[in-house]
Amino acid sequence: MTITAQELQQLRPQEVGAPTFCDHLFEYLTVAGQSRYDESVTQLEHGLQCAHLAEQAGFDSAAQIAALLHDIGHLILDEHAGHDDFLDDDLSHEVVGARLLTRWFGAEIGQPVALHVPAKRYLVATEPGYVSGLSEASVRSLEVQGGPMTAQEIELFTNRPYFKLAVDLRRWDDQGKVPDAGTPPLSHWRHAIIERALSD
Ligand code: FE
Ligand code: FE
C-alpha cells in the first residue's frame, strides 16, 4: 500500500495542490478498491459503475464524483478493522466518507454521500416494490441501518438540501453491481476532480 487510509484522511488539496491530491486519491482507490464490494464487483468497479451511470444520466461532475466516491468510507473503515483505536465503532461508512468528501469538495458532494444510506430507507418506505430490487446484502444491512423510514423521518429527510441527489445516487448505487460492466477508467474523472477540489 503506497498511501494508507490515515494518510489519505490527512490529505488536503489546499496543501498539496489539486493534481497531486488527485494522484494520491487515485493511488488509494486503485489499491484499496480491489477489496470486494459484494460477490459480483470490487469496490473500485462499484464506484466506477455508479459514476458512469451518473454521467450517462446527464448529471454534472459533482454528482459523478459523489457517485464515484460514495463508499470511500467503506475502504477507510475496512482498512482500520482490527485496530479500532482511533475510530469509533459506530461510525457509519457514509458519515466517514461524507466528512472527508465535504472537506475536499464541499457540501455539494459530501451531503448526497452522507444521505445515500438514509435514501435507501426512504425509498423502501415510499416506493412499493423498491425493496424487491435490492441485493441480498442491501436487504441485510437495511435492518442495521434502521429499516424503512417513519413518516416523521421522511418529512425530515425530504427537507434536507441534496436529498433528491441522494435518492438518484442511491439508484445508481443499486445498479452499479454488474460483473465486468465496461466503464471508463478512473482517469476519466481526473479533470472533474481537479476542477472540483477545494483550493482554499
Ligand atoms: Fe454505501
Ligand atoms: Fe455503494
Side-chain angles (χ1 to χ4, degrees):
M1 174 73 67
T2 33
I3 172 169
T4 65
Q6 198 171 0
E7 285 163 348
L8 184 83
Q9 286 173 288
Q10 284 157 5
L11 196 61
R12 301 279 181 285
Q14 299 92 323
E15 285 169 17
V16 296
T20 302
F21 159 75
C22 186
D23 290 342
H24 287 313
L25 173 63
F26 282 4
E27 205 178 295
Y28 181 79
L29 295 175
T30 303
V31 178
Q34 297 311 318
S35 56
R36 302 307 299 179
Y37 178 80
D38 64 9
E39 314 72 42
S40 46
V41 289
T42 65
Q43 288 281 355
L44 178 58
E45 287 170 328
H46 175 60
L48 288 170
Q49 286 185 32
C50 292
H52 191 43
L53 288 164
E55 184 174 29
Q56 285 177 315
F59 280 73
D60 68 7
S61 63
Q64 293 174 40
I65 295 169
L68 181 69
L69 302 177
H70 75 278
D71 278 335
I72 196 166
H74 269 316
L75 301 184
I76 291 166
L77 289 168
D78 281 351
E79 204 178 312
H80 289 314
H83 32 120
D84 42 28
D85 42 330
F86 66 99
L87 272 176
D88 290 337
D89 304 320
D90 61 353
L91 276 187
S92 329
H93 80 279
E94 74 277 16
V95 177
V96 172
R99 201 176 278 173
L100 208 49
L101 295 172
T102 302
R103 214 187 290 148
W104 289 342
F105 301 105
E108 206 179 345
I109 289 172
Q111 270 308 296
V113 171
L115 299 178
H116 85 274
V117 171
K120 175 169 77 175
R121 300 185 50 228
Y122 167 78
L123 282 166
V124 171
T126 58
E127 202 169 282
Y130 173 76
V131 79
S132 64
L134 289 177
S135 68
E136 256 178 68
S138 279
V139 174
R140 248 180 285 127
S141 56
L142 174 67
E143 308 236 333
V144 187
Q145 290 157 346
M149 279 187 174
T150 63
Q152 199 187 4
E153 286 172 323
I154 291 170
E155 161 105 35
L156 285 170
F157 179 69
T158 53
N159 278 319
R160 308 261 318 242
Y162 304 109
F163 94 90
K164 283 215 173 84
L165 184 53
V167 172
D168 289 318
L169 171 52
R170 187 69 226 182
R171 295 188 198 278
W172 305 322
D173 194 0
D174 296 331
Q175 289 167 48
K177 303 174 181 180
V178 179
D180 304 313
T183 67
L186 258 184
S187 57
H188 181 74
W189 284 276
R190 181 178 164 84
H191 177 75
I193 286 175
I194 290 173
E195 212 172 53
R196 292 272 179 184
L198 297 177
S199 54
D200 48 26

